[in-house]
Amino acid sequence: MTQVSQTELQEKLAYFGQSPTDVGVIKQIVRRPAVDQRETITEGVLTLEEGLVGDSWRARGNRKTPDGSALLDAQLTLMNARVIEVIAGHQDQWPLAGDQFFVDFDLSEERLPAGTVLKIGDALIEVTAEPHLGCRKFSDRFGKDATLFVNSTPGKALRARGVNAKVIRGGEVRVNDSISVYSEG
């Protein structure tokens, strides 16, 4: 895989900023049945207890919790499809990022502050304050420049690495389903 430079990513900021703000679309769904395993699926189920059913979120736990249990505020991760498209290239490489949902939707902090409720397929999820940043694995897979970009000031504002969320109402989700800010009424 060819690694993209910070300069190339900076030049794509306008493209990333063209992501839909009202109604976006799910481009890819990925389950992680075990550490470093990926399963691309066309439909799935979200539950309050498991997040994406069949994903190892709960079993993996989290080093940030006192007892090592799963961190609810990182139950799901969503990444902008335009960003991963530029970073990883072909859609077959997107699952390496480790996110469950790749969406063509504006995930910026300005647009979706923590607490924002999103309708994704038939489910409702809430954006959490838990930061989602590029880590060693991300750097190993996509390069130092990609990691520096997603962790930069403009990258963080854009949430180029993605956003953490938790399920607040379960439901079915499918590739090509819509994603939007939920408003009752």
Side-chain angles (χ1 to χ4, degrees):
M1 176 178 2
T2 304
Q3 294 182 349
V4 62
S5 72
Q6 280 192 76
T7 302
E8 291 170 295
L9 288 162
Q10 291 287 344
E11 290 170 354
K12 293 290 187 176
L13 279 171
Y15 173 63
F16 303 150
Q18 293 170 359
S19 296
T21 57
D22 293 330
V23 179
V25 66
I26 300 170
K27 294 293 199 173
Q28 190 175 72
I29 305 171
V30 180
R31 267 196 301 232
R32 305 159 307 175
V35 174
D36 293 330
Q37 291 184 1
R38 306 289 186 268
E39 179 184 23
T40 302
I41 57 176
T42 57
E43 57 185 50
V45 175
L46 294 178
T47 69
L48 276 67
E49 300 79 23
E50 296 300 318
L52 179 60
V53 173
D55 187 77
S56 63
W57 161 77
R58 182 175 294 286
R60 279 193 332 267
N62 192 292
R63 69 182 189 289
K64 292 182 180 180
T65 61
D67 62 358
S69 63
L71 181 64
L72 183 60
D73 283 354
Q75 188 178 44
L76 299 174
T77 56
L78 294 83
M79 187 171 182
N80 183 296
R82 293 172 189 240
V83 174
I84 194 64
E85 171 191 33
V86 172
I87 289 173
H90 194 272
Q91 204 166 358
D92 290 348
Q93 300 299 311
W94 296 7
L96 293 174
D99 300 272
Q100 293 111 325
F101 291 94
F102 297 95
V103 297
D104 190 13
F105 190 62
D106 180 354
L107 299 174
S108 69
E109 195 165 3
E110 178 182 344
R111 177 81 177 116
L112 304 177
T116 301
V117 176
L118 301 174
K119 184 172 188 313
I120 183 167
D122 296 332
L124 295 179
I125 64 174
E126 181 181 321
V127 174
T128 66
E130 183 66 27
H132 187 39
L133 301 171
C135 62
R136 182 188 50 79
K137 284 184 177 183
F138 188 85
S139 185
D140 290 347
R141 293 171 182 154
F142 301 113
K144 182 179 175 183
D145 278 4
T147 305
L148 289 171
F149 172 77
V150 300
N151 290 341
S152 69
T153 300
K156 286 179 183 177
L158 181 67
R159 285 197 179 124
R161 179 58 195 95
V163 64
N164 279 297
K166 63 184 175 185
V167 179
I168 58 172
R169 186 183 81 197
E172 295 182 3
V173 290
R174 294 167 208 81
V175 170
N176 294 322
D177 275 355
S178 64
I179 179 172
S180 60
V181 173
Y182 177 73
S183 60
E184 293 183 52

